[in-house]
Amino acid sequence: METIKQRKRGSLIIISGTTCAGKGTVINKLIERNKNLQLSISYTSRPKREGEIEGKDYYFVTQDEFEKKIKQDDFLEYAKVHYGAYYGTPKKEIENLLAAGKDVILEIDVQGAQQVKDLFPETILIFILAPSMEIVKERIKARGTENSEQIIKRFEKAYREINEINKYNYVVVNDILENAVQKVESILISEKCRVDRIEEIAVENQEEIIHEFLMDKNFDNSTKTII
Ligand code: 5GP
């Protein structure tokens, strides 16, 4: 008989981070290496970027379609994140994955993280930070997908979000990718050992175990002590 029975339901993990902190890369590595981890695919009303794949990066919908889904209560959380576009986490898919014992990662912003934490206080919240804003600047320049107005908006949001880091349980600086991935893995391993994940403690009858022990023929009698 196993001494403890742990919750079978998967863990809900939020990973947020400032723009260009490399959280996407960290998450891809985590998923590659941990078969029980699953990334939730969000819905968004923002236009698809070159190279993005429907159903892999996002489910791309129009603003009207997104608002219809809000009315249908299809989202666990949603927020207007960049340039007035909606981003939202589908509710049913997450519920099914957690019930099947999968650990689910939501890569969402601070507003969404707050909504999910209010609904499920046991959510694990991790914030990924770039080593410096100077590095963020270089990475945005290298990506070259945004105009200067969009870059300024992203920077403003990054500075706002850094001030909300205290809403999170953990912060990981992504200086060296492998180290950052290992840190997140360690957080997830520790979280699995939390006492509040125990559903039941079941130990065999104490007297029975002692009796069996004393009666064991292979046991050297001379060392038996009377309790
Ligand atoms: P992107 O660069 O893809 O336009 O925007 C990414 C930003 O949107 C990131 O800050 C990411 O965390 C956030 N985001 C992506 N999906 C969701 C979602 O479903 N809900 C919320 N609240 N934020 C999201």
Side-chain angles (χ1 to χ4, degrees):
M1 188 193 284
E2 284 173 13
T3 311
I4 55 166
K5 208 166 114 194
Q6 281 178 307
R7 223 175 342 149
K8 200 181 150 281
R9 191 178 162 81
S11 306
L12 193 53
I13 304 139
I14 290 181
I15 299 193
S16 306
T18 47
T19 186
C20 287
K23 60 183 185 299
T25 320
V26 171
I27 292 171
N28 287 342
K29 286 260 171 228
L30 286 168
I31 304 266
E32 238 173 71
R33 290 178 3 189
N34 300 276
K35 295 290 161 251
N36 202 45
L37 271 180
Q38 185 112 9
L39 177 65
S40 156
I41 309 296
S42 295
Y43 282 76
T44 183
S45 66
R46 84 144 160 76
K48 202 198 276 184
R49 289 191 200 121
E50 213 183 300
E52 284 185 325
I53 299 167
E54 164 76 20
K56 183 171 178 285
D57 296 290
Y58 287 103
Y59 295 108
F60 295 94
V61 292
T62 62
Q63 179 156 338
D64 283 352
E65 285 167 333
F66 199 103
E67 285 171 353
K68 196 170 158 213
K69 289 179 97 36
I70 296 174
K71 285 203 191 97
Q72 287 168 193
D73 195 25
D74 284 349
F75 294 117
L76 187 65
E77 63 73 39
Y78 68 91
K80 280 192 170 171
V81 181
H82 288 309
Y83 332 123
Y86 284 115
Y87 293 74
T89 306
K91 193 192 269 181
K92 224 203 231 130
E93 284 89 331
I94 305 295
E95 191 40 59
N96 291 343
L97 287 167
L98 291 174
K102 287 271 182 196
D103 297 324
V104 182
I105 296 184
L106 309 182
E107 187 198 333
I108 62 177
D109 81 328
V110 174
Q111 307 168 71
Q114 183 66 55
Q115 293 176 48
V116 177
K117 190 180 167 187
D118 290 344
L119 280 172
F120 302 107
E122 71 278 14
T123 306
I124 305 158
L125 292 102
I126 305 172
F127 199 93
I128 310 273
L129 260 183
S132 73
M133 290 312 270
E134 197 53 40
I135 289 181
V136 170
K137 203 174 82 188
E138 293 310 315
R139 286 180 185 168
I140 290 189
K141 262 204 253 167
R143 188 162 76 180
T145 50
E146 272 116 346
N147 63 36
S148 53
E149 192 195 330
Q150 290 171 327
I151 291 173
I152 291 167
K153 287 237 166 70
R154 279 197 181 250
F155 262 97
E156 285 170 352
K157 186 168 164 58
Y159 278 96
R160 270 200 313 278
E161 291 199 332
I162 288 172
N163 286 317
E164 296 194 78
I165 241 173
N166 59 355
K167 291 186 173 147
Y168 288 73
N169 305 114
Y170 302 94
V171 60
V172 172
V173 176
N174 185 15
D175 42 6
I176 298 166
L177 177 64
E178 181 54 28
N179 291 356
V181 174
Q182 274 184 21
K183 282 180 190 166
V184 178
E185 281 178 330
S186 308
I187 293 167
L188 300 183
I189 293 168
S190 312
E191 286 283 336
K192 287 285 176 209
C193 301
R194 286 178 69 99
V195 170
D196 53 17
R197 280 192 63 85
I198 298 175
E199 224 163 41
E200 200 183 322
I201 299 183
V203 285
E204 285 89 344
N205 183 298
Q206 181 182 321
E207 276 158 24
E208 221 171 87
I209 288 277
I210 293 172
H211 180 73
E212 274 174 22
F213 181 66
L214 293 172
M215 292 297 118
D216 189 344
K217 289 202 177 54
N218 298 323
F219 183 60
D220 176 7
N221 224 15
S222 63
T223 59
K224 279 181 187 172
T225 45
I226 297 165
I227 303 164

